[in-house]
Amino acid sequence: MRGLLIKDLYSAWKVGKGLVIVYIVFALDAVITGEWPMGIMGIVLMAMLPGVLNGLDERGKWMSYLFCTPVSRKTYVKEKFSLTLICGAVSGALLIIAFLLRSAAMGQNIPKDFSVMAAVCVFVALVPSALSNVFSFRFGAIKGRVMMAVMAAICGLLSGAAATFLDDPGKFDMENVSAFSSLILIGASVVIFALLYLVSLQVVKKREY
């Protein structure tokens, strides 16, 4: 699996520089303005990178060659989900660290909605790209990217709605609400990611390449 991961990381570096630049722009805007939904959209863009690489594999008929080697289909799926995890973890962690540094530099306490932001980072880093993998394995890379675009739009709408709610929390105790909702969202994200991995194993196992 290590060889496959190195191949994809090298390809990501070659073809994904544009997405990285856009991610940096979104992240900087989020940190400067303090509006974390913009940073969330940057994470969504980085989560598209595995889908781009799936498209390259499909156009080059990489899987037809790969499965003639001793590499198993399970190893292939595991590597793709590992790449998804790396892209999501790096982009999400950088945004979270940037917000922590911003609070420290401005002498501010950590915002009450920080836990919600962190939980949303986990969700958008894991779920949309994992779902796109399933669609890519089952229907092809193009439909996988379409699903990723739909998920990106949904994440954008939800992030905007969350920002509006957090700006006017009303009578809710945001510390309690944030902690409770964050734990639920993080747990749900991990479970969904694991389930989509298992589904992908079955899809790839049955598909003809």
Side-chain angles (χ1 to χ4, degrees):
M1 189 183 81
R2 184 173 61 180
L4 292 177
L5 190 57
I6 291 174
K7 186 271 292 183
D8 272 349
L9 289 175
Y10 178 79
S11 298
W13 173 250
K14 287 296 185 180
V15 305
K17 294 177 182 177
L19 287 176
V20 173
I21 292 173
V22 176
Y23 165 77
I24 292 174
V25 171
F26 274 106
L28 287 175
D29 180 81
V31 172
I32 292 172
T33 63
E35 296 291 334
W36 56 263
M38 293 298 292
I40 295 298
M41 289 308 300
I43 297 175
V44 173
L45 288 175
M46 285 298 293
M48 291 182 176
L49 190 52
V52 174
L53 299 183
N54 288 342
L56 293 177
D57 286 350
E58 187 174 283
R59 286 200 298 273
K61 300 187 183 301
W62 167 250
M63 285 80 75
S64 298
Y65 164 76
L66 180 67
F67 296 140
C68 291
T69 70
V71 175
S72 68
R73 298 189 178 210
K74 181 178 180 180
T75 299
Y76 173 74
V77 173
K78 185 185 296 184
E79 184 273 330
K80 289 299 182 182
F81 272 76
S82 296
L83 179 67
T84 296
L85 190 59
I86 291 172
C87 291
V90 171
S91 58
L94 287 176
L95 182 64
I96 291 172
I97 292 172
F99 263 83
L100 289 175
L101 292 176
R102 176 182 184 274
S103 297
M106 299 181 68
Q108 299 175 343
N109 294 325
I110 297 176
K112 292 181 178 180
D113 63 342
F114 179 78
S115 62
V116 172
M117 185 200 79
V120 173
C121 284
V122 173
F123 176 83
V124 300
L126 297 181
V127 176
S129 188
L131 186 60
S132 174
N133 280 339
V134 174
F135 271 73
S136 293
F137 296 150
R138 178 63 182 87
F139 302 108
I142 293 178
K143 292 183 179 178
R145 289 198 295 270
V146 170
M147 174 53 63
M148 188 66 217
V150 171
M151 290 299 296
I154 293 174
C155 288
L157 292 173
L158 292 178
S159 296
T164 301
F165 172 75
L166 294 172
D167 285 339
D168 185 20
K171 298 180 180 180
F172 290 101
D173 184 343
M174 285 307 300
E175 291 186 3
N176 293 334
V177 173
S178 297
F180 180 71
S181 60
S182 298
L183 289 174
I184 292 178
L185 186 56
I186 290 174
S189 300
V190 173
V191 170
I192 293 172
F193 184 83
L195 290 175
L196 291 174
Y197 168 72
L198 295 176
V199 171
S200 294
L201 286 176
Q202 296 304 313
V203 169
V204 173
K205 183 179 178 179
K206 296 177 180 178
R207 185 176 175 184
E208 294 291 335
Y209 289 98

